[in-house]
Amino acid sequence: MTAFVFVGPTLTEEDRPRDWDVVYLPPVEQGHIHALVRDRPTAIGIIDGRFHDVPAVWHKEILEALHAGIPVYGSASMGALRAAELAPFGMRGIGRVFEQYLGGVLEDDDEVTVAHAGPDDGHVQLSDAMVNIRATLHAARTQNLVGDATHQLLLDLAKGTYYPQRNLRLTLAEGRAAGLPQHEIDALSAFVADHSVDQKKCDALAMLAVMRSEHGTLPKAAADFPLQRNAFVERSHSNGLVHDGDGDFLRINAILNEVRLRPARYLRLRRSALGAIVPHLGTPPADAEARTSAALARFRTTHRLTAGAEWQSWLAEHAYTQDGFTSLIEDEVLARSHRPYGGALNLPLLRALRSDAGYGPIVRRTRAKKHFLEAHGLADPSGSSHVADKEVLRWYFSSIGTPFPGDIHRYATSLDFLDGYEFLKAVRDEFHYESGDSRAPSAPPETACEARGADEDDLTHHISSAVWQAEWSAR
């Protein structure tokens, strides 16, 4: 019965009440709400959000949560903006800022936008929100500390300042320099020192109070609007985020890449994900017979069964006929020939992986790698590196015991990477993570090694591997 609230600079850690079942998450960005919908929370609250350096939270994912019967609240900042836009669909807006957006008194996004530090520094605010400046000057005007002319000119000065540089004290200094009445500026300076109004904080606390009072008491509301899905939405979901349960969000592709870089394990996972849809796939590809023959030859060569007598003996030992075993390979050829592109298989893969006992360690490793790359400035794929691409690739293929392929793009797409560049980025991330602060790993990672334990005895894996290797090594 957990509620999740996205909050950053609007409320400090000390300001966030914790006397109820709530998890506070960093400012929301695109994909976060969709990731939470899978966890079926009792409620979602949005206070702060990111937009400058990442895509902003998408209206569609909020609608998805509402359509699933999850109450969504918004206030103060990004939450007030989205609540005003989605109020007709059931999003609950709370507070004065929301009411001003809903009523058309406020229109610009920059009214609530502030510059702030990163998560390591507690998202400390580095500028003043325009709505807070308005609220403070309005309070001063109500107490007759300033006249209408001074009040309006100070608002104009603040509004004309780019939001990262907005600061009420600097605005007062500009007003003084502009020749506004000295006694009014002095009175305002004294007022601001002790009585400035943090409207965003007031609204955020009001929203949390409502969420806490309603927590677990609201019946699941049936959505009174249709939720339209399209190809863009599906692609966004397939390549979106997963909430790791500990307040962090991980890219689905980043999780799956942990397995894709271990081909033996990935082929087994892929077979599991495709198992349910293989019977519904269509007509076999035109070259199915040739691909089956190539894969069968690869299997026999790998297992030293090229001689007819040895092959027949192996078939008898495993209770297969020639046609029966060939049909197993045909199934794999059929599955791979219909494999979806553009991440369409990501969600079935993720579902299959979540039922695997190794899912937890994979998620923890994905999270650790993400934070390592960010901390060392290696998260940007366009950044420079001291190690050449070919050296990194040679390290990787050595680590999994696979010959360096002649066609990296073909190899990459055979493991469902979008292209060779995406594969190289994943390999480079692995290289940096394994190497730590040194310039190169001391040895190939054991966890990436191809021939390990149960995989050697897994016939399904060997069949998949035979089809896969025949595919990527084809010219």
Side-chain angles (χ1 to χ4, degrees), residues 31-81:
H32 282 178
I33 302 296
H34 171 71
L36 284 186
V37 168
R38 298 191 189 103
D39 296 339
R40 289 292 186 261
T42 55
I44 296 173
I46 302 175
I47 297 173
D48 294 306
R50 295 173 63 187
F51 74 95
H52 187 73
D53 55 338
V54 296
V57 60
W58 200 16
H59 299 77
K60 197 82 171 183
E61 56 187 307
I62 297 176
L63 291 175
E64 181 181 20
L66 293 169
H67 195 267
I70 301 170
V72 183
Y73 302 76
S75 74
S77 193
M78 176 67 79
L81 281 167

Side-chain angles (χ1 to χ4, degrees), residues 415-436:
L415 288 172
D416 301 318
F417 286 97
L418 181 63
D419 51 30
Y421 176 79
E422 187 183 68
F423 167 68
L424 175 60
K425 172 64 171 63
V427 171
R428 187 170 285 282
D429 287 348
E430 178 72 10
F431 176 86
H432 287 309
Y433 181 63
E434 283 292 331
S435 68

Side-chain angles (χ1 to χ4, degrees), residues 12 62 92 99 104 132 157 160 181 211 239 277 287 387 401 415 421:
T12 65
I62 297 176
R92 295 273 304 281
E99 292 168 356
N132 288 349
L157 287 172
M211 290 184 67
N239 296 306
I277 64 173
D287 62 346
V387 185
L415 288 172
Y421 176 79

Side-chain angles (χ1 to χ4, degrees), residues 227-249:
L227 185 65
Q228 301 294 334
R229 296 186 180 274
N230 53 36
F232 179 77
V233 173
E234 296 303 327
R235 283 196 301 271
S236 176
H237 289 178
S238 295
N239 296 306
L241 301 170
V242 170
H243 181 231
D244 70 353
D246 292 320
D248 207 347
F249 291 87

Side-chain angles (χ1 to χ4, degrees), residues 142-170:
T142 301
Q143 296 185 29
N144 295 317
L145 298 179
V146 294
D148 289 340
T150 298
H151 176 257
Q152 188 59 52
L153 182 55
L154 289 173
L155 286 176
D156 292 343
L157 287 172
K159 184 67 173 176
T161 303
Y162 184 40
Y163 79 86
Q165 282 84 48
R166 270 195 199 123
N167 181 285
L168 183 51
R169 293 182 182 278
L170 293 179

